[in-house]
C-alpha cells in the first residue's frame, strides 16, 4: 500500500492534490518474470483556486466552486513508474461525468527524483519522490455547454508545461508474512452461510 501527496500543474492550474492511496502487489512469477496485481485507488476532491471563473468570486460563491479529483485510469506499473489517471472535474454547474482524460486517460511516466529512504524497518516504511514533466493533458470531456469555457479556464489541452510531482511512502508485507489459511475451515465456513 502506498500513499502519495502529488502536486499537479496541468494547463493553467497548479494544485496540491488530496492524498492518493493505492494498493497493489508485485513479485516474481514461477517463470522468473515480474508479476503485478492491481488493488484499488482512493482520493478526495481538491478545490481549484478561483473556482469556475478563476477569480476571487469563484472562491466565495459555492455555485462557482470548482474541484478536481484523480481517478484510476486503467494502467499501473510499479516496476516502470508508468500509470494513468483521469481527473473528474466537480462543480454545481457541471454534469457529473465532466472529466479530463475521459476517452484517453492522462499517462504518466514517473522518474525518480532521488534514492528511496527507509523510514522504519518494523513496520517497513519507505519514502520516495518522483516526477513527470513530459505528459500531455487533454481537453475536458462530457462537461455540457460549459466545456469550451472550462477548457479556456484550465488551459486545456496542454502539450507542454505540465508537471506531476509525486512524494510518496509505502509499506508492504511479503506473501510469507500473511496469515496461513486452513482450507477445511474455509469450506466449513462457506457451507454454514
Amino acid at each position: 500500500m502506498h500513499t502519495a501527496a502529488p502536486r499537479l500543474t496541468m494547463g493553467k492550474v497548479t494544485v496540491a492534490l488530496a492524498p492518493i492511496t493505492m494498493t497493489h502487489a508485485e513479485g516474481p512469477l514461477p517463470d522468473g518474470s515480474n508479476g503485478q496485481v492491481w488493488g484499488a485507488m482512493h482520493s478526495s476532491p481538491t478545490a481549484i483556486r478561483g473556482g469556475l471563473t478563476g477569480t476571487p468570486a469563484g472562491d466565495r460563491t459555492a455555485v462557482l466552486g470548482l474541484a478536481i479529483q484523480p481517478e484510476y485510469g486503467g494502467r499501473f506499473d510499479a516496476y516502470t513508474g508508468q500509470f494513468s489517471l483521469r481527473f473528474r472535474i466537480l462543480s454545481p454547474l457541471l454534469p457529473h461525468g465532466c472529466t479530463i482524460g475521459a476517452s484517453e486517460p492522462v499517462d504518466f511516466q514517473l522518474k525518480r527524483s532521488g534514492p528511496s529512504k527507509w523510514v522504519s524497518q518494523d513496520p517497513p516504511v519507505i519514502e520516495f519522490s518522483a516526477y513527470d514533466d513530459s505528459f500531455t493533458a487533454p481537453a475536458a470531456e462530457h462537461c455540457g455547454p460549459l466545456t469550451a469555457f472550462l477548457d479556456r479556464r484550465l488551459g486545456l489541452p496542454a502539450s507542454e508545461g505540465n508537471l506531476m510531482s509525486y512524494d510518496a511512502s509505502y509499506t508492504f508485507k511479503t506473501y510469507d508474512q500473511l496469515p496461513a489459511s486452513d482450507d477445511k475451515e474455509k469450506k466449513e465456513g462457506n457451507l454454514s452461510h
Side-chain angles (χ1 to χ4, degrees):
M1 180 178 92
H2 87 252
T3 301
R7 186 160 178 80
L8 178 69
T9 296
M10 188 165 56
K12 295 180 185 174
V13 174
T14 297
V15 293
L17 293 171
I20 294 174
T21 301
M22 290 191 246
T23 54
H24 47 88
E26 296 83 38
L29 295 174
D31 67 1
S33 64
N34 292 327
Q36 300 187 70
V37 178
W38 173 253
M41 178 184 143
H42 301 282
S43 188
S44 300
T46 299
I48 296 175
R49 190 175 201 156
L52 199 54
T53 61
T55 65
D59 291 327
R60 291 192 301 263
T61 309
V63 74
L64 296 177
L66 188 64
I68 187 168
Q69 181 172 359
E71 298 177 346
Y72 179 59
R75 295 183 199 103
F76 179 82
D77 188 330
Y79 293 107
T80 65
Q82 183 179 31
F83 76 109
S84 56
L85 295 172
R86 290 184 171 87
F87 294 92
R88 177 95 43 193
I89 303 298
L90 305 165
S91 172
L93 298 177
L94 297 172
H96 178 71
C98 182
T99 305
I100 299 167
S103 299
E104 285 294 321
V106 180
D107 288 321
F108 296 94
Q109 180 62 60
L110 293 177
K111 300 171 270 295
R112 293 288 180 120
S113 303
S116 298
K117 175 184 166 191
W118 280 84
V119 177
S120 169
Q121 295 289 329
D122 189 17
V125 177
I126 300 170
E127 292 179 345
F128 70 94
S129 294
Y131 71 97
D132 183 353
D133 59 358
S134 62
F135 67 92
T136 298
E141 299 175 76
H142 313 300
C143 301
L146 292 178
T147 300
F149 172 83
L150 183 64
D151 280 338
R152 281 191 305 277
R153 159 71 178 103
L154 300 177
L156 299 174
S159 59
E160 54 187 37
N162 303 312
L163 174 65
M164 165 79 86
S165 299
Y166 197 83
D167 295 323
S169 64
Y170 66 94
T171 186
F172 61 89
K173 280 191 174 187
T174 58
Y175 284 107
D176 63 343
Q177 294 174 320
L178 298 175
S181 63
D182 182 357
D183 288 337
K184 184 179 178 184
E185 278 183 5
K186 282 184 181 177
K187 288 177 186 174
E188 289 173 0
N190 288 339
L191 292 175
S192 65
H193 290 251

